[in-house]
Amino acid sequence: MENENKELNIILMGPPAAGKGTQSELIVKNFAVPHISTGDMFRAAISNKTPLGLKAQEYINAGLLVPDEVTIGLVEERLCQDDCKKGFLLDGFPRTIPQAEALDNMLAKFNRRINAVVLMTADDEVLTERITSRRVCPECGASYNINTKKPKVDGICDVCGHELIQRKDDNAEAFKVRLDAYAKQTFPIAEHYAKQNVLGKVDALQSIEEVFADIKKILLEAK
Ligand code: AP5
Ligand code: MG
C-alpha cells in the first residue's frame, strides 16, 4: 500500500458518471482506505427496504439530492467505525456546502481534516454517453460500460456472477436533474476546499488508467 504510515482522508468529487466509482476501485487497491459511497449506501438501503431507503428512494429516482439532515447523519455514523481511523475515501459526499461544513466539524472534533479533494472534470455530452452505456451489479456494486469497460461475459458481473442492470436514475430525464444538481449544489464546494489548499483537478475525459495516474500523483503529494 502507498500510504502505510500516513493518514489519508480523501474526497472524490465530480459530476454524475465522471468515473468516481470506477476510480474508487483503483484507489482502494493502491491505498489502504475504505470506500464510502453515499450513493451505494442509499441503494443498499433501498434494496433492503429500510426506513432510510424508503425516505431516500423518491429523491434518488428523480435525480434530486437526498436532504442534508438524512445524509449527514449517515456519514457521521460510518466515519465513526474502526476501519476509518487511518483514513477513508468519500465518493459522493459532501455534495452541498452544509454537508462540507458538517464534515469539517465532525473531523475537527478528533483533530483530523481532509488531506485531498480530487475534482474530476468532464463535459455533459461525454457524461450522457457514459451514463446510457453503464451497467452495474446490484449485488456487489461493480460498474461496467458496454463500450469502454465490458464484463468478461455479456451482462454478467466479473466479480460475483450476478446479472448486470441499468440504475433507475440512469435515464435521460433524471440525468438532466442530476447534472443540474451537481452544477448548482455540489460544484461550489470545490471553492470551499480550494481555500483549504487541498483541491486537485483531474481531466476525467482521459482513459481510466490515465485518470488514475493523475489521481495517484495527487494522493502521493497530499499532506
Ligand atoms: P451516486 O451514486 O453518487 O451517483 P452520481 O454522483 O450520480 O455518480 P455515478 O455513480 O452515476 O457516477 P460515477 O462518477 O461513480 O461514475 P462510474 O464510475 O460509475 O448518487 C446517486 C444519488 O444518490 C444522487 O443523485 C442523490 O440522489 C443521492 N445521493 C448520493 N450522495 C448524496 C449526498 N451526499 N447528498 C445527497 N444525496 C446524495 O462511471 C460511469 C460510466 O462511465 C461507467 O460505465 C464506467 O465504466 C465509465 N467510465 C468511467 N471512467 C471512464 C473513463 N475514463 N473513460 C471511459 N469510460 C469511463
Ligand atoms: Mg458512483
Side-chain angles (χ1 to χ4, degrees):
M1 291 291 161
E2 307 275 0
N3 58 323
E4 260 159 50
N5 298 313
K6 187 166 90 174
E7 178 176 327
L8 205 45
N9 303 325
I10 311 161
I11 294 171
L12 192 53
M13 67 174 285
K20 301 183 293 296
T22 304
Q23 294 300 325
S24 292
E25 276 180 40
L26 298 171
I27 294 170
V28 165
K29 276 188 196 150
N30 286 267
F31 295 86
V33 285
H35 175 212
I36 303 174
S37 155
T38 38
D40 287 350
M41 289 161 90
F42 286 133
R43 281 184 290 277
I46 291 171
S47 84
N48 293 325
K49 299 191 169 58
T50 66
L52 171 71
L54 294 174
K55 234 183 254 171
Q57 99 180 325
E58 279 182 30
Y59 294 99
I60 294 192
N61 290 346
L64 295 165
L65 295 188
V66 177
D68 285 341
E69 57 273 23
V70 176
T71 313
I72 290 169
L74 179 74
V75 172
E76 184 153 29
E77 211 173 281
R78 180 65 186 89
L79 289 180
C80 286
Q81 290 174 13
D82 276 355
D83 62 340
C84 297
K85 278 193 177 139
K86 286 184 72 187
F88 51 78
L89 166 62
L90 284 169
D91 158 4
F93 183 94
R95 255 178 153 100
T96 62
I97 293 284
Q99 289 181 17
E101 289 171 349
L103 177 64
D104 287 347
N105 294 336
M106 274 177 228
L107 295 174
K109 275 191 228 159
F110 299 98
N111 253 331
R112 298 175 70 180
R113 62 181 178 83
I114 293 296
N115 308 99
V117 178
V118 177
L119 171 64
M120 301 178 70
T121 59
D123 53 64
D124 290 4
E125 220 170 283
V126 176
L127 297 173
T128 307
E129 164 68 31
R130 282 185 188 175
I131 215 70
T132 48
S133 49
R134 172 166 65 182
R135 299 293 179 274
V136 295
C137 176
E139 189 64 24
C140 72
S143 174
Y144 300 88
N145 191 288
I146 53 172
N147 300 321
T148 55
K149 192 183 174 219
K150 294 181 186 173
K152 288 187 188 112
V153 179
D154 261 3
I156 301 293
C157 179
D158 292 351
V159 183
C160 71
H162 201 282
E163 205 172 316
L164 301 177
I165 58 156
Q166 264 195 296
R167 261 170 46 180
K168 270 206 176 143
D169 57 345
D170 283 355
N171 59 70
E173 200 187 339
F175 196 62
K176 260 198 192 150
V177 180
R178 286 159 65 194
L179 284 172
D180 193 54
Y182 178 76
K184 292 196 177 123
Q185 293 171 273
T186 306
F187 185 71
I189 70 172
E191 185 54 33
H192 175 87
Y193 290 109
K195 283 186 195 145
Q196 296 181 16
N197 283 321
V198 289
L199 185 74
K201 286 186 197 161
V202 170
D203 174 8
L205 295 179
Q206 306 174 92
S207 72
I208 292 173
E209 295 72 25
E210 286 166 336
V211 174
F212 181 63
D214 286 355
I215 292 178
K216 195 169 166 184
K217 215 169 148 226
I218 291 173
L219 298 184
L220 289 174
E221 284 168 6
K223 290 193 183 86

